[in-house]
Amino acid sequence: MEFDQAFEQLIGHEGGYVNDARDPGGETNWGVSKRSYPKVDIKALTIDGAKAIYRRDFWDKCRAPDLPPALRFDVFDGAVNSGVSQSVKWVQQAIGATVDGVLGPLSLAALSELSPAAVAARYNGHRLLFMTELKTWSAFSGGWAKRIAHNLIGG
């Protein structure tokens, strides 16, 4: 999966403008939050503006092009939803590597020795377990669980 395809799938999870008081990210548009991007006019953010942010700050930083195609979207989606470092930690947990949040040569080498499908399943399991511990789980659990389920079934 390449970036444009991943972005189209991601936007299906994210949607447009929302300002939910329960969301610690605050005001969001296309999944881009005011908390993370305080200088961006969130309400006026275009889909092209969001796409540029997602490529630069998530796809590239989680090293998606270096991952097996079967794992790229999961790691990208996890990075968008919970941060790049946390998404990489789930990869490292899934492959039994040192968990430091940096996808370096040792993690990539360990990853190359394993089944991408098995790693993706374990990745999503670690992600879901993490999310159940968040204080916002009760408010957003349905959407988060649905998002991860869609990733597991490939849609």
Side-chain angles (χ1 to χ4, degrees), residues 36-37 50-62 76 79-80 83-84:
S36 296
Y37 295 89
K51 188 174 185 177
I53 288 170
Y54 283 130
R55 179 184 286 276
R56 178 190 70 227
D57 295 347
F58 299 97
W59 181 263
D60 291 345
K61 287 187 179 175
C62 74
F76 171 55
V80 167
V84 172

Side-chain angles (χ1 to χ4, degrees), residues 96-114:
T98 300
V99 178
D100 63 6
V102 177
L103 193 60
L106 295 177
S107 295
L108 289 170
L111 181 58
S112 72
E113 301 295 320
L114 301 169

